[in-house]
Amino acid sequence: MNAFHHLMLPDDVSFIDGSVDKYAKNTIPGTTDMTAAITAAVNSGHAVKFKSGQTYRHTPLAFEGVDIDWEIEGGAEPATLYCDTSPASSQASFSGEAIGSTTVATAAYPMDYVIELASTTSIQVGDLLKFVNTALAWQSDDRGEAFEGQLARVEDIDGSNVYLDATLAVGMPIGASVRIYRPIQVRMRGIRFQRLAINGSSRGVLIE
């Protein structure tokens, strides 16, 4: 019986599931656009691997609702993610998934941590709720949403009531908006981010 044996060479590490180099050849590190390859590696469902010491050029990256687990392979030197576009957006952004929204069903007051909502159908323990009171007098200034409300984690659910990990800092009237987010985990080891040197400010990595 004939058998085919494949000898694993050092470069074959590129074909490990989750390896960015599996999805595109980084022909000229720092010049070849690896944006699509990085995205494909993230979407593979495996830990994303970058070759130690290599530079991966990309355009701004944005991932929502997906856990991030990035690491280097083949050495101890950091891998560099390099973005050379204008700073109109973050070099990379990682955000929890926006699940939906509901409203406050019964007026809540400062120091309350049990809040009755119009619906809890799409809410899970561990979700983050952003309570927004647009009626607050100071919400119209240049601080934006910073003082419109607050973010709190759901510790328990009992019917239409949610139990929060923190008490409300301000009251929430009936009908106040409640935005629902499912948080993600972000874990990186040996990854360095670099942006094109420009005059003025530049946006780096955003995790929210």
Side-chain angles (χ1 to χ4, degrees), residues 14-37:
S14 302
F15 297 98
I16 296 174
D17 287 334
S19 173
V20 173
D21 293 77
K22 175 180 179 178
Y23 302 97
K25 186 174 179 60
N26 194 7
T27 308
I28 306 175
T31 299
T32 303
D33 187 354
M34 298 294 286
T35 307

Side-chain angles (χ1 to χ4, degrees), residues 7 17 19 33 37 71 90 93 95 105 126-127 160 166 179 190 192 203 205:
L7 179 63
D17 287 334
S19 173
D33 187 354
E71 61 187 11
S90 299
S93 64
S95 60
D127 284 350
S160 59
R179 302 169 191 168
R192 177 172 55 196
R203 299 182 182 181
V205 179

Side-chain angles (χ1 to χ4, degrees), residues 127-150:
D127 284 350
L128 297 177
L129 303 182
K130 184 174 183 180
F131 292 85
V132 181
N133 183 354
T134 56
L136 290 177
W138 53 80
Q139 66 76 225
S140 61
D141 67 12
D142 62 1
R143 290 173 292 187
E145 292 186 353
F147 291 90
E148 284 184 354
Q150 72 181 77

Side-chain angles (χ1 to χ4, degrees), residues 124-204:
Q124 298 179 5
V125 171
D127 284 350
L128 297 177
L129 303 182
K130 184 174 183 180
F131 292 85
V132 181
N133 183 354
T134 56
L136 290 177
W138 53 80
Q139 66 76 225
S140 61
D141 67 12
D142 62 1
R143 290 173 292 187
E145 292 186 353
F147 291 90
E148 284 184 354
Q150 72 181 77
L151 199 66
R153 182 178 183 274
V154 177
E155 294 288 295
D156 196 10
I157 303 170
D158 182 11
S160 59
N161 291 326
V162 291
Y163 291 73
L164 307 177
D165 69 340
T167 58
L168 291 181
V170 295
M172 292 291 155
I174 295 174
S177 173
V178 182
R179 302 169 191 168
I180 308 163
Y181 298 93
R182 192 138 300 149
I184 60 171
Q185 294 185 356
V186 178
R187 183 169 178 258
M188 294 187 184
R189 300 163 306 286
I191 309 298
R192 177 172 55 196
F193 290 88
Q194 180 181 346
R195 194 109 198 215
L196 175 70
I198 57 172
N199 294 324
S201 62
S202 179
R203 299 182 182 181

Side-chain angles (χ1 to χ4, degrees), residues 58 61 70 79-82 91-92 94 188 191-195 204-205:
H58 64 89
L61 300 167
W70 292 6
T80 300
L81 271 66
Y82 171 63
Q91 176 175 352
F94 311 98
M188 294 187 184
I191 309 298
R192 177 172 55 196
F193 290 88
Q194 180 181 346
R195 194 109 198 215
V205 179

